[in-house]
Amino acid sequence: MSGTSTAATGGHRKSKVGWNLLGLFVFVTAGFPVYWMLNTAFKPAKDAIDPDPSLLPTGLTLSNFSRALNIADFWGPVGRSLVVSLTVVVIGIFVGMLAALAISRFAFRGRKVVIVGILAVQMVPLVAMIIPVFLLLNDLGQYDRLTGLIITYLTFILPFTVWTLRGFIVNIPRELEEAAMVDGCSRTTAFLRVVFPLLAPGMVATSVYGFIQAWNEYLYALMLMSQQNQTATVWLGNFTTKHGTEYAPMMAGSTLMAVPIVVLFLLVQRKMAAGLTAGAVKG
């Protein structure tokens, strides 16, 4: 009996070690590009193009960041990206929450068609919609305007937001609202006092993903905006010229672009973690 218990314990330890090694492998694989970006950003420019690069930094310099800030207007593209991303998140969360609530809580004709439509829209490759979007925005007078870019981003961020928030709302027991309404609350008051606080972590998690999608989008920003109105992702193209690519300043610019995402994540990490685990266990 004790031999069986010892064997089971040994097998459990081996399984745990295996999962730990797998987790370490995934971490290294996912984290190495970030490390290499930072390593190259602080390298002297000549070391960044060395055909035999070193995994460890051979020298530290801030000149790449200075070059990144001076190669072109940096704050203009970053400011435009912030305006677009934040506007898309605010509108997307507000409209998406109302749509998700309607789909989750109300039975209406065509409900299944709406759900299937939301999924179908997310399956369409973004590159396939470039020409129709360009023609539509041009007819509406929204080409090369931030409002046109915001509308475009909402077309693929809203379905994601609706579908994600729907999953959170479904996992909130309907009985909580009904109990609040029995106590005298209207449907709107019951939602604000009962459902909304429980939905807040999910909204934060969805907002972060929506912000990342809008902030990192490149293709539509390149096709729909002129150089004078370019966003931060398109701004990185300034480091590639007819003389080659300035890798060290480009990595410095990429590092600067990653700062808003990191700051946002640090500010909402607790709510985001709660949102990612919400609904994992019912009851």
Side-chain angles (χ1 to χ4, degrees):
M1 191 72 176
S2 60
T4 304
S5 177
T6 303
T9 303
H12 176 71
R13 289 178 179 176
K14 289 181 180 179
S15 176
K16 187 175 181 180
V17 170
W19 283 112
N20 288 337
L21 290 176
L22 178 61
L24 180 62
F25 173 76
V26 172
F27 171 76
V28 172
T29 303
F32 182 77
V34 179
Y35 164 75
W36 196 251
M37 177 185 72
L38 294 172
N39 184 23
T40 307
F42 288 97
K43 276 183 179 180
K46 60 181 181 62
D47 293 341
I49 58 175
D50 191 334
D52 186 21
S54 173
L55 287 176
L56 300 176
T58 55
L60 298 178
T61 179
L62 296 177
S63 60
N64 297 321
F65 291 90
S66 176
R67 171 64 175 158
L69 293 174
N70 294 327
I71 191 173
D73 178 25
F74 171 75
W75 297 110
V78 169
R80 284 187 285 271
S81 288
L82 281 174
V83 169
V84 171
S85 300
L86 291 175
T87 304
V88 167
V89 167
V90 171
I91 297 176
I93 285 294
F94 179 74
V95 177
M97 180 185 64
L98 296 179
L101 183 64
I103 294 174
S104 305
R105 289 292 193 256
F106 300 99
F108 55 89
R109 183 175 299 178
R111 177 172 173 269
K112 291 184 179 180
V113 175
V114 173
I115 295 176
V116 172
I118 291 174
L119 289 175
V121 168
Q122 296 185 76
M123 296 179 185
V124 178
L126 295 180
V127 67
M129 298 190 295
I130 288 181
I131 295 178
V133 168
F134 171 81
L135 295 176
L136 180 61
L137 292 181
N138 191 47
D139 291 340
L140 295 175
Q142 295 297 316
Y143 174 74
D144 195 22
R145 300 185 64 176
L146 292 184
T147 51
L149 194 62
I150 290 170
I151 294 172
T152 303
Y153 286 178
L154 283 172
T155 60
F156 59 84
I157 290 179
L158 254 181
F160 166 81
T161 303
V162 172
W163 184 255
T164 305
L165 290 180
R166 174 188 174 274
F168 289 114
I169 294 175
V170 166
N171 284 293
I172 298 175
R174 192 186 296 262
E175 290 77 9
L176 295 177
E177 290 180 81
E178 294 174 351
M181 293 173 67
V182 169
D183 290 338
C185 292
S186 63
R187 181 176 292 275
T188 302
T189 307
F191 171 78
L192 294 176
R193 292 186 177 181
V194 178
V195 178
F196 186 78
L198 298 176
L199 186 60
M203 293 177 63
V204 171
T206 306
S207 298
V208 171
Y209 282 115
F211 183 89
I212 291 174
Q213 286 183 345
W215 178 263
N216 290 335
E217 203 284 322
Y218 172 78
L219 188 60
Y220 280 90
L222 176 65
M223 299 298 296
L224 300 178
M225 307 299 287
S226 65
Q227 187 174 2
Q228 290 75 22
N229 293 321
Q230 64 185 358
T231 58
T233 51
V234 181
W235 168 82
L236 285 174
N238 289 316
F239 296 101
T240 301
T241 65
K242 61 181 180 180
H243 301 294
T245 302
E246 299 182 68
Y247 291 103
M250 177 182 284
M251 292 300 100
S254 300
T255 302
L256 292 173
M257 280 188 56
V259 170
I261 299 294
V262 174
V263 171
L264 177 63
F265 180 80
L266 291 176
L267 291 175
V268 301
Q269 58 177 331
R270 291 186 179 180
K271 287 287 186 181
M272 187 174 180
L276 291 174
T277 57
V281 179
K282 295 186 66 176

